Amino acid sequence: MKVLGIESSCDETGVAVYDTEAGLLAHCLHSQIDLHAAYGGVVPELASRDHIRRLPVLMKQVLAQAGLENRDVDAVAYTSGPGLAGALLVGASVAESFALARGIPALPVHHLEGHLLSPLLSADPPQFPFVALLVSGGHTQLMRVRGVGDYALLGESVDDAAGEAFDKTAKLLGLGYPGGPQLARLAGQGVAGRFRLPRPMLHSGDLDFSFSGLKTAVLNVVSAPDWDPAGMADLAAEFQQAVVEVLCAKALAALKKTGLKTLVVAGGVGANLHLRQTLDAALQQRGGRVHYPEPALCTDNGAMIAFAGAMRLGAGEAVSGEPSVRIRPRWPLAELKPPQAAVA
Ligand code: KG4
Ligand code: ZN
């Protein structure tokens, strides 16, 4: 079965084709970074308009790359939520229209399920069950994953997501958009420990996170009368160290609590090198292992949506015969259920 995947939840337009027998056949991505850079953040209306412009082109491109025609596609999977309502509507409308015209099923997919399953697309995939650390611009969550759709929330951020904290802190340090990668680059040139930032909720005794106070602590440092911008790289390094320390400690606590040894890290912040090195070293020491998506599939992409859709359809998930544009801008991941077959 060949599944066309469409991702348009935020500022990346992603399209891919996943074949349940041959694996990922092709994937194409357009990032809107240049479009939003002047505004210092994503402008929802501009994002929606750009998805409209890019999607038809990317769909043609991805099918050509895979050596397929429209008629070769067996099903369409699209990001139904969570995300920006207007942006989601574009992908959902295109996907449902394509499916209706071709007489094939269209399956709404949860964006975070796409991220969470994306390491299964790698050459050496993890086995269920595992603990997943989802760290993106909008979410920071620890989940116990027993199989597709069997997700139990262990803990999450009570305020800003880790990626959001990186982006907001980068902004107040005067770095460009998107802030996460730029702040990480600057941190690589500095030394942690010269400034001392808090490790929020490190000893809270649960698996929740809080990152908004960290941004305020950085603001306090740079607003002090004796602040010297020459210390910027050291401050960035300390900020990154604080986030990584908390993420790592809570991920280890989640593994201990569940008795599992496999950790899967997904979402944009999973691209952070310091986080990877710290988690790899900690798990190696404990006889466990960390799995990441392929680098190109760390941030938003169509491949993870095509794959999540293919996993569900392959497991016999029933698809509504009625064409309807289904979006859920807010959609808790723990609400998902394993693939449900049609009731006879
Ligand atoms: O998963 P993603 O592409 O989009 C969402 O679904 O949110 O994640 C984007 C987030 C942004 O906040 C971005 O700044 C952050 O991931 N990010 C990073 C790095 N690369 C991307 N944060 C820290 N270090 C990085 N290297
Ligand atoms: Zn994402």
Side-chain angles (χ1 to χ4, degrees):
M1 182 177 35
K2 293 176 185 65
V3 181
L4 180 72
I6 293 179
E7 156 65 30
S8 71
S9 65
C10 190
D11 58 348
E12 256 116 15
T13 322
V15 184
V17 187
Y18 182 82
D19 184 342
T20 44
E21 272 149 38
L24 187 62
L25 299 183
H27 79 105
C28 291
L29 192 69
H30 174 78
S31 165
Q32 300 179 352
I33 283 179
D34 294 345
L35 180 67
H36 302 292
Y39 305 93
V42 178
V43 183
E45 184 57 27
L46 293 182
S48 311
R49 289 179 191 202
D50 202 57
H51 287 309
I52 294 175
R53 285 204 304 150
R54 305 285 174 184
L55 261 179
V57 181
L58 287 179
M59 284 164 75
K60 273 200 187 122
Q61 207 175 318
V62 95
L63 288 173
Q65 261 184 34
L68 301 176
E69 304 281 343
N70 283 355
R71 63 170 177 272
D72 299 320
V73 176
D74 300 304
V76 188
Y78 63 93
T79 304
S80 176
L84 301 170
L88 290 167
L89 270 175
V90 176
S93 312
V94 170
E96 291 282 353
S97 313
F98 184 93
L100 180 64
R102 288 267 307 100
I104 57 174
L107 185 73
V109 168
H110 194 294
H111 179 81
L112 293 178
E113 178 168 70
H115 274 305
L116 195 149
L117 298 178
S118 62
L120 296 171
L121 275 166
S122 61
D124 179 19
Q127 304 285 319
F128 295 116
F130 52 75
V131 168
L133 173 65
L134 282 173
V135 270
S136 70
H139 296 84
T140 300
Q141 297 185 331
L142 278 162
M143 316 279 309
R144 185 186 55 216
V145 180
R146 290 207 176 101
V148 175
D150 190 347
Y151 313 132
L153 182 68
L154 301 170
E156 64 183 334
S157 177
V158 298
D159 42 52
D160 290 355
E164 190 180 1
F166 264 93
D167 294 338
K168 287 180 174 171
T169 303
K171 200 169 184 177
L172 71 87
L173 291 181
L175 303 175
Y177 163 87
Q182 302 223 22
L183 183 47
R185 215 168 299 130
L186 183 63
Q189 298 159 20
V191 180
R194 234 196 82 208
F195 296 95
R196 193 64 198 158
L197 296 175
R199 274 37 175 179
M201 293 183 74
L202 186 60
H203 302 294
S204 60
D206 56 23
L207 298 172
D208 288 338
F209 305 87
S210 164
F211 291 113
S212 71
L214 209 45
K215 162 196 72 199
T216 313
V218 170
L219 182 63
N220 289 341
V221 173
V222 298
S223 317
D226 60 346
W227 163 245
D228 177 0
M232 191 98 105
D234 291 338
L235 183 57
E238 173 66 9
F239 169 83
Q240 177 174 261
Q241 178 66 26
V243 174
V244 167
E245 251 178 69
V246 179
L247 289 175
C248 185
K250 300 265 172 166
L252 292 178
L255 289 168
K256 194 168 174 202
K257 182 173 174 178
T258 55
L260 297 172
K261 290 226 176 275
T262 307
L263 180 69
V264 159
V265 180
V269 185
N272 186 281
L273 219 62
H274 185 51
L275 176 66
R276 287 185 174 218
Q277 286 164 349
T278 309
L279 286 172
D280 286 344
L283 267 281
Q284 205 172 16
Q285 222 177 37
R286 288 163 178 77
R289 173 136 184 236
V290 196
H291 290 261
Y292 306 92
E294 300 290 338
L297 304 183
C298 262
T299 47
D300 293 348
N301 63 83
M304 66 184 194
I305 302 304
F307 180 68
M311 293 283 276
R312 284 189 168 271
L313 291 164
E317 173 128 338
V319 176
S320 151
E322 288 296 305
S324 64
V325 175
R326 288 158 282 181
I327 63 156
R328 271 190 77 177
R330 287 174 186 275
W331 186 5
L333 183 59
E335 272 186 18
L336 292 195
K337 295 201 166 42
Q340 311 265 312
V343 182

